[in-house]
Structures are given as C-alpha cells and as structure tokens.
Amino acid sequence: MSYFKNLITKFIMMMQKRPGLLAVFAFCSGVASYVLVERKESFSQIIAILLLVSWIWLIVDNWLRDKVEQRFGVAVSPNFMRFALQMVQQESLFFALPFFLAVTSWNHPQAIFTSLIILCAFISVVDPLYYRKLAKHSIFFTVFHNFALFVVILVTLPILLNLTTSQSLGVALITAIIFTLPSLGNLMPNARWWRFPLLVLLLCILSAGLWQLRSWVPPAALRLTDITLSHQVDVEQRKPVGSIKQLDTYSLHELGLYSWTAVKAPRGLNEKVFHVWLLNNNVVDRIALNITGGREQGYRAWTHKVNFPANSVGKWQVQVVTESGQLIGLTKFTVTQ
C-alpha cells in the first residue's frame, strides 16, 4: 500500500512542477488515437474511456477526496482539486486538437471553431492566464469548462459508440450541459443562488446557438482524403478518369459530371453524407451518399450529376457535408461559355 501511496504522491508533485508535460502527453496521445481510430484499435478506445472517466471523477470530487484520504492516507486539498480540474481540461483539449486540425477547412468558418480550441488549450497551459484571468470570472470559467467537455465528448463518442457525426454533435451538446451542472457548486463556490439558473440558461442558449452554427464545427470523426470531378469513372478500379477544374457549358450538359470522393471514417461507422452542388454560392442540388468506415484509403464512392441549369456559367463548388450540415471538404471548378 505504501508503494501506491508514494506513486500517487510522486505523480501529483511531478504534474504540479511540470504542468506542460501533461499537455505534450495529451497531444501525442491524441495524434496516436487519430492514427489508430480508423482501425478501431483498443488503445484509442482506452484513452477515450479514461478521458470520460476523468470528467466523472471531477463531478464526484468531494466524495473522491474523502475516499482517497481513507484509502491511501493522502489528504487531497481543494487547491489540488483545482489543479486536477485544470489538468483534465488541458488533457481533453490537447487530446481533441489533432482530430480537429486534421479535418478543418481553413478557408471556411470551421477555422474559427478550431482556432478557439487552440486558444483554450493555450490558456489551460499558461497558469497566469488560467488562474489570474479566467478562473476569477466564474461565468467565463464555467463556459470554458463546458466547452472543454463538449469538445472531448464530440471526439470520443464516434470512437466508443460509432455514433454518426450528427448524432455525436447533438449528444455532446446535451451531455456537456448535464455534466457541467454538478460542477457549478465547485466552479462558483460563493455565488448567489440566482446565478446558477442564469448560468444554466446561458449554457443552453450557447448550445442552441452552436447547433444553429453546426456547419462551423468540423466533423472530427470524418476526413476527406480525395475529391475529384471527371466525366468518367473506372468502376472496376473505383477511381476517376482524369480531373476537371474548368469546362464549357456544352461539355457540362452533354457529359455531366462525376463527383468522386474518398472519405475516411472509423471502422464500424456508417454515415450518410451529401454532395452539395453550388453555383455562385447558391445551392443547386443535394445528392445523398452512404459511406462505411474502416477502409485504409477511405471509402471511395461517387455521384453522377446530369441535370444542370440552362445558364450554368460561373463559379461552382461541390461540398461534401454530413446530415447535420457539417463540412467535410470541397472542390471548386469553373464553367465558361
């Protein structure tokens, strides 16, 4: 028993002396999990479970504090629990970051969401910003806490439960609020009673707003490895014949266009995506496509569009989006007279 007591004590002291070490470890584990998740390796699932368990641990921190003292003889102070909260938030943000960096379209509002994760991860590492600026403002700190929880749930649900991107987003928004509620007493220890319902209302409004802006949230479980436009597809080889970035209206109407895509997804995940055709930023068509996860090169499939507007001249886009409207990737082409 004394061995475990010494081990826990050493871990606590090491993390307090080298808080940046955890951020490096969390980021590396996120990279490793991102690589392994497509094969549904147990390593990535174990890390996902540990992250979720760590949040549950924080929810029952008062009970845990007494049990640790009884079991190991280690008195866990409130200051340590505040450090533990910072540690779990830091671990969650840095773990999720590689997933979002890999799928973000930086010429899209998705860049704002991923940049926000980067900013929050940076704040979680810098103690003067975290304790002297953020932690002193209970409302901002609670929103920060809720956001870190939302981000990690959004990543872990597809890994553990094979939920679709749309399902994961909805469940993550609701679960983050529910899991934040038991922590409000610790996050706002001396707040007046009316602040709690007001803060819950604020979190609900922010979640509803994020749902309305869900196209800004990168689909962490999916990644577009290739998208090509062509007049033909080699069905046996399951690949496009040629690539088109510009064509005239005659070729467009006579031959139509194939939109060929390869989308990587975790093994066991079945997802419906859409090819959305836009002319001068106006939606012209929306074609459904079912994909299956687990393929090393991504699930290769295509749609064939033959019906185009009479006046098709202009700048076109083909966007690959989820059922909830989250952008996976896109390609552009131009139609001339």
Side-chain angles (χ1 to χ4, degrees):
M1 188 60 66
S2 60
Y3 171 77
F4 289 105
K5 178 180 177 180
N6 292 332
L7 189 64
I8 292 172
T9 304
K10 288 180 180 179
F11 177 76
I12 293 172
M13 294 177 63
M14 182 180 67
M15 288 297 100
Q16 287 180 326
K17 290 181 179 179
R18 301 177 179 85
L21 185 64
L22 182 68
V24 174
F25 172 78
F27 185 80
C28 292
S29 66
V31 172
S33 294
Y34 177 77
V35 173
L36 296 175
V37 72
E38 290 155 3
R39 300 188 180 98
K40 201 178 179 181
E41 294 283 350
S42 59
F43 175 75
S44 59
Q45 292 180 317
I46 290 172
I47 292 179
I49 292 173
L50 288 175
L51 279 172
L52 295 181
V53 168
S54 65
W55 280 96
I56 297 174
W57 169 50
L58 287 173
I59 291 173
V60 293
D61 62 344
N62 290 324
W63 172 85
L64 182 68
R65 201 179 307 164
D66 296 335
K67 290 296 181 182
V68 169
E69 187 172 359
Q70 293 173 11
R71 183 74 173 173
F72 299 103
V74 179
V76 183
S77 68
N79 288 335
F80 172 76
M81 293 310 299
R82 283 194 292 270
F83 171 75
L85 176 62
Q86 179 192 16
M87 184 174 68
V88 173
Q89 291 169 343
Q90 184 184 113
E91 183 184 9
S92 300
L93 290 165
F94 276 96
F95 172 82
L97 188 56
F99 287 84
F100 288 99
L101 287 175
V103 300
T104 298
S105 298
W106 293 99
N107 58 347
H108 186 272
Q110 285 182 348
I112 298 174
F113 184 87
T114 303
S115 298
L116 184 59
I117 297 177
I118 296 173
L119 176 62
C120 290
F122 175 76
I123 291 174
S124 71
V125 175
V126 182
D127 286 350
L129 289 176
Y130 184 86
Y131 288 107
R132 297 177 188 174
K133 300 295 182 181
L134 180 66
K136 287 185 177 180
H137 301 279
S138 55
I139 293 179
F140 290 122
F141 189 63
T142 305
V143 173
F144 178 91
H145 177 80
N146 181 262
F147 180 72
L149 178 56
F150 165 73
V151 165
V152 74
I153 293 176
L154 198 61
V155 171
T156 55
L157 284 181
I159 297 175
L160 295 174
L161 304 178
N162 292 132
L163 295 184
T164 66
T165 305
S166 303
Q167 292 169 339
S168 298
L169 180 60
V171 173
L173 286 171
I174 296 171
T175 307
I177 294 177
I178 295 174
F179 273 38
T180 301
L181 295 181
S183 305
L184 291 181
N186 295 327
L187 297 174
M188 305 170 64
N190 301 315
R192 295 181 179 179
W193 69 268
W194 54 267
R195 281 181 171 267
F196 293 98
L198 185 63
L199 194 54
V200 173
L201 179 61
L202 175 63
L203 292 177
C204 292
I205 291 174
L206 290 174
S207 297
L210 188 57
W211 177 257
Q212 293 299 318
L213 297 174
R214 55 191 179 275
S215 63
W216 292 25
V217 181
L222 303 175
R223 179 162 63 95
L224 188 68
T225 59
D226 197 5
I227 179 169
T228 304
L229 299 171
S230 65
H231 289 309
Q232 290 181 301
V233 168
D234 187 332
V235 178
E236 292 184 359
Q237 298 293 325
R238 298 184 67 83
K239 65 180 183 179
V241 179
S243 176
I244 294 174
K245 290 295 183 182
Q246 182 172 323
L247 72 165
D248 55 45
T249 54
Y250 177 80
S251 300
L252 182 70
H253 288 279
E254 286 295 315
L255 302 174
L257 277 178
Y258 286 91
S259 177
W260 182 92
T261 53
V263 180
K264 270 196 172 184
R267 185 178 298 278
L269 182 64
N270 295 308
E271 180 109 12
K272 178 182 284 188
V273 301
F274 294 85
H275 287 171
V276 181
W277 296 73
L278 298 94
L279 171 59
N280 298 325
N281 294 321
N282 296 313
V283 176
V284 173
D285 205 351
R286 182 182 172 92
I287 306 174
L289 184 68
N290 292 313
I291 63 170
T292 302
R295 288 168 172 78
E296 185 175 351
Q297 300 300 323
Y299 186 84
R300 296 171 293 171
W302 57 87
T303 58
H304 187 202
K305 181 170 174 58
V306 293
N307 296 318
F308 290 90
N311 183 13
S312 302
V313 176
K315 296 182 178 180
W316 285 78
Q317 285 186 25
V318 180
Q319 297 182 353
V320 186
V321 302
T322 65
E323 283 188 281
S324 57
Q326 294 171 264
L327 179 69
I328 305 173
L330 60 84
T331 188
K332 300 179 180 180
F333 67 102
T334 304
V335 176
T336 61
Q337 288 286 358

